[in-house]
């Protein structure tokens, strides 16, 4: 069961992190150079179908893995387990990602123009950095902390 959870968590991470790196490093510069929101929206529309289920899998498997590592959360807190702050980092990243994604989806994307494209670009860059930090925090939990 644990191994299956890690496999699905890594699969979801591959989709989420990989998709955002392609978006930020390849699609976004093209959209900004052409000042054409459609370049971004075209990729976003396709990626969303894979990216959203991937994020849902991350949340589901992530919380189950937290329970696997820390079945007694208050005991882990009392023992100052060095991996626990990294779970906090993941929760903060989740809140920040959700806030940016909701703002992009509900406020920016419905009225996207060449003028507002740079604002969406910053959202994309931030969510991509957060995606990589999710991965770093995950590795820290597995290895007992960083460095
Ligand atoms: C897009 C979001 C996320 C990404 C990209 C991500 C990525 C990763 C990666 C790459 C690992 C290392 C796996 C390993 O080597 O075993 C990991 C581990 C872990 N993640 Fe996430 N994660 C995400 C969201 C979450 C969430 C929301 C939680 C729950 C708070 C969570 C909890 C954990 C735990 C507990 C581990 C340790 C699992 C283990 O190694 O046994 N993750 N994560």
């Amino acid at each position: 069961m644990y191994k299956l959870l890690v496999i699905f968590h890594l699969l979801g991470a591959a989709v989420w992190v990989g998709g955002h790196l392609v978006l930020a490093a390849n699609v976004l510069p093209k959209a900004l150079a052409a000042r054409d929101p459609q370049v971004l929206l075209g990729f976003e529309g396709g990626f969303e179908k894979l990216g959203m289920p991937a994020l849902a899998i991350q949340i589901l498997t992530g919380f189950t893995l937290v329970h696997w590592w820390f079945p007694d959360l208050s005991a882990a807190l009392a023992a100052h387990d060095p991996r626990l702050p990294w779970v906090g980092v993941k929760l903060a990243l989740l809140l920040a990602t959700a806030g940016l994604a909701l703002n992009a989806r509900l406020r920016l994307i419905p009225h996207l123009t060449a003028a507002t494209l740079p604002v969406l670009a910053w959202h994309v860059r931030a969510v991509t950095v957060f995606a990589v930090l999710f991965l770093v925090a995950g590795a820290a939990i597995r290895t007992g902390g960083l460095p």
Side-chain angles (χ1 to χ4, degrees):
M1 178 65 179
Y2 168 68
K3 287 179 187 174
L4 211 59
L5 281 171
V6 173
I7 288 169
F8 276 102
H9 202 70
L10 284 173
L11 192 60
V15 172
W16 186 255
V17 180
H20 277 91
L21 285 175
V22 172
L23 179 59
N26 186 283
V27 181
L28 185 59
K30 280 185 195 152
L32 287 171
R35 292 177 51 79
D36 182 1
Q38 281 313 318
V39 176
L40 198 72
L41 295 178
F43 179 86
E44 189 90 34
F47 177 59
E48 216 169 54
K49 291 185 184 69
L50 214 63
M52 282 303 127
L55 184 60
I57 286 174
Q58 291 314 93
I59 295 170
L60 213 72
T61 53
F63 279 99
T64 317
L65 283 166
V66 170
H67 181 69
W68 187 88
W69 278 104
F70 311 105
D72 186 346
L73 211 52
S74 43
L77 274 168
H80 298 291
D81 190 307
R83 293 164 303 183
L84 218 44
W86 293 102
V87 175
V89 169
K90 284 207 166 211
L91 292 178
L93 288 169
L94 187 59
L95 280 179
T97 299
L100 285 173
L102 281 176
N103 194 44
R105 168 80 11 237
L106 301 178
R107 291 181 58 198
L108 289 173
I109 290 176
H111 317 287
L112 194 63
T113 62
T116 56
L117 194 55
V119 184
L120 185 63
W122 281 110
H123 280 62
V124 169
R125 291 187 191 111
V127 170
T128 305
V129 170
F130 294 164
V132 174
L133 292 178
F134 261 121
L135 182 148
V136 172
I141 297 170
R142 143 100 41 212
T143 55
L146 291 178

